[in-house]
Amino acid sequence: MKTIEHFAGVVDDAARTAKSIQQLTLNGGDKLTEADAYEIQRQSIERRVARGAHRVGMKMGFTSRAKIIQMGVSDMLWGRLTVDMVVEDGGSISLANYVHPRVEPEIVFLLKHDLIGTITPLQALAAVEAVAPAMEIIDSRFENFKFTLVDVVADNSSSSGFVTGPWHRPDFDFSNLGLVLNFNGQPRQIGSTAAILGHPLRSLVAAARFAAQANEPLKAGWMVMAGGATAAEPLVAGTHVEMEMQTIGRVSFSVTA
Ligand code: OOG
Ligand code: MG
């Protein structure tokens, strides 16, 4: 079998050059385990960090029914956020830098304390400095956006960009905030933060558990993306994408060719 190092190079090159690749599990990686996939992810992000991008947080995925149904993968997963993935609120992205990007509405936590291990939702909340409406730009490097759990985990869980809106102290009930994802002012997805595990704080609890498995604490100052609340929408050039979340405001970006 090809080595973990080999596969880490493959997914890193694909992400760096925005070129699609065959699923690893169909191209020499049929024996890879989920643990191998997380090791491939770790090594691929290590390569990116060696080129100068530092870690800024963690993303959770498959935390809503809508996402699980859309992608046909039902295990919760996570990925590593690096600074080169930050898209400015109100800024723009070029399709040239992606394979076949999609966008999904999320909510994001900014941490004020480190978190790791088995914690309660209250302990999770006590570590949150602020929450903000957010969107994730996912871009599977695999042909046709098709993958198994092992493939997608190795590919940093399709993570490729994220944009965060206005930050708010978490001293209000954000368990069921309505949200609308608009393309050029037309609603494409409508949902609620309650779609994220019933309460988005549960996603942070799960993130702390995953952090323990990886032996890599969530750090004060990091952001944790809670996972898509609705299905993701494919991005096309000429689109102004805006997500509005009840009471906490809007976040947007534009898409160019
Ligand atoms: C995998 C990543 C899932 C989410 O928020 O559920 C994810 C994918 O859908 O390609 O980011
Ligand atoms: Mg996501």
Side-chain angles (χ1 to χ4, degrees):
M1 188 171 91
K2 293 172 182 164
T3 62
I4 301 281
E5 291 74 20
H6 164 81
F7 290 119
V10 169
V11 291
D12 178 50
D13 287 346
R16 190 170 44 78
T17 60
K19 295 239 167 60
S20 68
I21 51 173
Q22 259 201 314
Q23 290 174 240
L24 308 185
T25 52
L26 299 178
N27 190 15
D30 53 303
K31 300 246 161 42
L32 291 170
T33 64
E34 193 180 326
D36 294 335
Y38 277 108
E39 181 57 20
I40 293 168
Q41 181 193 123
R42 194 188 67 75
Q43 291 189 17
S44 77
I45 299 303
E46 220 167 51
R47 287 167 173 253
R48 193 183 301 177
V49 168
R51 290 193 296 270
H54 60 274
R55 265 305 278 290
V56 296
M58 175 162 170
K59 67 157 275 183
M60 294 293 293
F62 299 139
T63 53
S64 72
R65 287 287 301 153
K67 282 291 303 179
I68 288 168
I69 290 165
Q70 183 181 31
M71 301 316 297
V73 173
S74 59
D75 300 72
M76 225 189 290
L77 46 62
W78 63 278
R80 293 168 166 92
L81 300 177
T82 52
V83 70
D84 52 316
M85 293 169 49
V86 173
V87 173
E88 199 190 332
D89 188 12
S92 77
I93 64 161
S94 164
L95 289 184
N97 296 325
Y98 300 84
V99 181
H100 37 211
R102 299 177 178 179
V103 64
E104 55 197 20
E106 306 209 2
I107 187 167
V108 61
F109 303 104
L110 174 66
L111 300 184
K112 61 180 169 190
H113 301 306
D114 291 6
L115 271 182
I116 190 164
T118 304
I119 56 170
T120 65
L122 266 179
Q123 287 171 316
L125 182 60
V128 175
E129 170 78 14
V131 296
M135 289 183 281
E136 185 180 22
I137 299 161
I138 52 170
D139 190 28
S140 175
R141 268 53 66 160
F142 300 117
E143 289 164 5
N144 306 314
F145 228 111
K146 226 176 136 275
F147 45 66
T148 64
L149 177 68
V150 161
D151 291 315
V152 64
V153 164
D155 184 30
N156 201 23
S157 298
S158 303
S159 202
S160 71
F162 67 103
V163 46
T164 60
W167 292 100
H168 300 262
R169 301 232 167 267
D171 56 358
F172 67 103
D173 181 4
F174 52 85
S175 65
N176 186 13
L177 301 177
L179 61 90
V180 185
L181 178 70
N182 290 308
F183 276 18
N184 295 328
Q186 303 292 318
R188 285 300 182 94
Q189 293 286 343
I190 296 177
S192 159
T193 56
I196 304 164
L197 299 173
H199 192 313
L201 214 41
R202 294 201 182 111
S203 181
L204 185 53
V205 170
R209 197 176 60 236
F210 280 128
Q213 282 167 16
N215 204 9
E216 210 175 79
L218 304 175
K219 296 284 198 189
W222 276 13
M223 291 171 279
V224 178
M225 296 281 288
T230 71
E233 286 285 325
L235 290 173
V236 289
T239 311
H240 182 252
V241 181
E242 182 184 78
M243 197 268 288
E244 177 159 17
M245 196 173 271
Q246 191 183 348
T247 67
I248 67 171
R250 298 165 186 208
V251 54
S252 72
F253 65 95
S254 305
V255 184
T256 64

